[in-house]
Amino acid sequence: MADTSPFYITTAISYPNGKPHIGHAYEAIAADVIARFQRLQGRRVRFQTGTDEHGLKMARKAEEQGRTPADLADEMSGYFRSMCDALDVSYDRFIRTSEPDHHRASQAIWQAMEASGDLYLDRYEGWYSVRDEAYYDASELVEGEGGEKLSPQGTPVEWTVEESWFFRLSKYQDQLLALLKTPGFLEPASRRNEMIAFVEQGLRDLSVSRTSFDWGVKVPGSEGHVMYVWVDALTNYLTGLGYPDDMGDFWPASLHLIGKDIVRFHTIYWPAFLMSANLPLPKHVFGHGFLLNRGQKESKSLGNVTDPVELAERFGVDALRYFLMREVAFGQDGSYSPEAIVQRANGELGNAFGNLAQRTLGFIAKNLDGYLPAIRGHQEADTALFEAVDQAIAKDIPEAFENLALQQGVEAWLQAVFACNAYIDAQAPWTLRKADPERMETVLATLYICIAQLAVAISPVIPASSAKLLDTLGIPGDLRNLDGIRSHWYSPLAESDHRIIAPAPLFPRLELPDEAA
Ligand code: ME8
């Protein structure tokens, strides 16, 4: 029986203080691959992404540009949303934290924390990094090259003195420690050890409101205070499900997918807020690695900032998606370059998979007038190929994707594609046309079935190309899932009036960009 249980996946919500960069695209695509894979498995999926619009960072950027924060957020949030659309990211909701339902949800969780006796007024005196929107203890700071104080992330910090609401984070120390030690809650394991060490050294209460600016969610019943931006930002995961009204069965979230720099917020602050508000905790938090441009961090001063939408326009959405999942072990840092994208796309999508489909379908169109070949008895080589492909689509690929070993999943798919290529070379259907037309038909039918199965299995990664190929193959919508494409659909389809017409290349050959040539 297919597992139809709910699966709620979220990305971090991005600061729209500028346009999206490749790191944002990477996270959105990875989340989309996971969401699409779960749908393919038959799960009921809800997928949320969006923009995190409050806080000092947004307020200061707007001030620099002589505009209101709302105006800056409106413009930039639009770029994030259109990036998701351009990259085929299949979100159910794109949330903006400036939306009224989000203010309502944030005030509700605040009141729930207050009702638990976890909020009190005091004076905050300490270090704050606007870039990280984070408070740091003096002991965490590092020294910059000029002797200045920097956050552990290397960003500037400023001394802040303010009247502020505090959250009793210290009260949750033991529960948080137990949570962090729960297998499967936080992955990869390297991030877990870091968080455990942070909690073990003792948690201080957290300043959760600001009075020096007003760009945020108003603290209920406390004139002049807006919520610390992370309090409202994290609450977005509830807003999207209708909190404080009935959230249906998608909460607790199945997976918060975030980058490694914001693990502390998601595995310490967020669970503590939820414990205080008496809400269930997310099941799984995964902190992915950072994507670097030829090994370097992108920055405006280095002039190496890449617009992910331009990258997709240049190389193709699916080539970019495939590259990002294939190139980097999920969880670790990785690097990209135009050359590397072109090489993977041409070699693996174009030569290995695209050509396999092109050769097989072209041959059917030309020599069988497009009629699907009949299966006329199997030989050992055919059975061996079916077994190899089935092992990939029924076991290796789903297991890897389920465990978020996305790169391994793609590798398992590619191995099965290679097996098909070895089969077509060994069976050489073009030599059978005159010598043994019946055997030729069986070979082509075998390939046809394997190609359809592999197209379905890789559809989370390259959705548009897979759909195009499955259209050419004539695979009906209800078979475009892992169970469907493993069932006995071929004979009825072969007996239908579906015809293969001369297929267009799925992955046109990419050229290396001039500047790199
Ligand atoms: O952190 N490679 O927003 P953000 C991969 N608003 N991922 C990267 C990256 C890179 N080079 N750079 C950033 C925020 N990211 C908060 C989140 S959630 C309630 C609030 C990831 O725009 C980063 O780790 O700075 C984060 O997961 C996401 O992009 C948004 O980063």
Side-chain angles (χ1 to χ4, degrees), residues 11-15 21-24 26-27 52 57 80 230 233-234 236-237 257-262 266 288-292:
T11 66
I13 48 173
S14 309
Y15 293 124
H21 55 61
I22 188 81
H24 294 122
Y26 178 58
E27 185 171 302
D52 180 2
K57 181 167 161 140
F80 279 87
W230 273 100
L234 290 159
N236 93 84
Y237 303 132
L257 184 66
I258 54 164
K260 62 178 184 178
D261 57 329
I262 55 172
H266 283 81
H288 63 73
F290 266 37
L291 207 61
L292 305 170

Side-chain angles (χ1 to χ4, degrees), residues 114-392:
E114 197 168 28
S116 294
D118 287 339
L119 298 177
Y120 60 92
L121 263 180
D122 203 345
R123 209 166 85 107
Y124 179 76
E125 252 185 70
W127 296 101
Y128 193 76
S129 159
V130 177
R131 261 209 254 162
D132 303 348
E133 295 281 21
Y135 299 95
Y136 291 108
D137 193 71
S139 64
E140 292 181 87
L141 301 184
V142 297
E143 200 167 296
E145 280 171 14
E148 74 283 15
K149 289 188 191 307
L150 296 176
S151 81
Q153 316 266 8
T155 59
V157 290
E158 47 195 68
W159 185 253
T160 305
V161 180
E162 231 169 309
E163 185 198 46
S164 156
W165 284 95
F166 279 79
F167 171 73
R168 289 190 208 284
L169 185 62
S170 54
K171 173 174 154 186
Y172 295 97
Q173 164 125 1
D174 294 343
Q175 273 169 274
L176 288 170
L177 210 50
L179 175 68
L180 288 165
K181 290 181 175 170
T182 307
F185 172 68
L186 167 58
E187 284 181 319
S190 51
R191 320 244 190 272
R192 183 157 61 213
N193 301 335
E194 211 179 296
M195 290 306 117
I196 290 174
F198 181 77
V199 176
E200 275 176 343
Q201 82 183 6
L203 289 174
R204 291 160 175 262
D205 290 349
L206 182 69
S207 163
V208 286
S209 76
R210 307 293 308 261
T211 47
S212 54
F213 61 95
D214 65 358
W215 178 238
V217 178
K218 289 191 168 43
V219 171
S222 187
E223 195 67 33
H225 284 259
V226 292
M227 289 179 201
Y228 169 40
V229 60
W230 273 100
V231 175
D232 94 73
L234 290 159
T235 305
N236 93 84
Y237 303 132
L238 302 178
T239 307
L241 299 180
Y243 182 80
D245 302 333
D246 180 18
M247 292 197 279
D249 58 0
F250 279 112
W251 193 261
S254 310
L255 174 61
H256 290 318
L257 184 66
I258 54 164
K260 62 178 184 178
D261 57 329
I262 55 172
V263 170
R264 184 191 293 185
F265 301 94
H266 283 81
T267 61
I268 297 176
Y269 300 168
W270 180 227
F273 297 162
L274 290 166
M275 287 170 188
S276 171
N278 294 309
L279 288 165
L281 309 180
K283 292 178 198 151
H284 190 187
V285 176
F286 189 91
H288 63 73
F290 266 37
L291 207 61
L292 305 170
N293 185 341
R294 297 178 204 278
Q296 269 185 321
K297 206 178 146 138
E298 295 198 339
S299 76
K300 294 215 176 77
S301 55
L302 285 172
N304 65 348
V305 180
T306 312
D307 177 349
V309 177
E310 272 172 29
L311 216 52
E313 278 166 0
R314 189 151 154 203
F315 299 121
V317 174
D318 283 350
L320 177 64
R321 291 174 60 109
Y322 179 84
F323 171 81
L324 292 174
M325 297 302 104
R326 167 76 177 98
E327 182 79 1
V328 184
F330 200 54
Q332 289 171 23
D333 290 345
S335 207
Y336 77 97
S337 66
E339 296 86 332
I341 298 173
V342 167
Q343 199 184 349
R344 290 274 185 215
N346 283 346
E348 297 174 6
L349 288 180
N351 294 347
F353 188 56
N355 278 354
L356 171 72
Q358 186 80 12
R359 280 159 97 190
T360 306
L361 301 185
F363 203 84
I364 294 173
K366 198 159 151 227
N367 296 295
L368 294 174
D369 215 13
Y371 285 83
L372 297 198
I375 297 172
R376 301 174 189 278
H378 276 306
Q379 294 187 0
E380 216 173 284
D382 314 335
T383 312
L385 184 67
F386 280 134
E387 278 171 5
V389 170
D390 200 57
Q391 165 81 19

Side-chain angles (χ1 to χ4, degrees), residues 462-474 480 504-508:
I462 52 169
S465 311
S466 287
K468 203 167 130 196
L469 177 56
L470 291 165
D471 288 345
T472 309
L473 294 169
R480 295 183 186 189
L506 264 186
F507 306 100

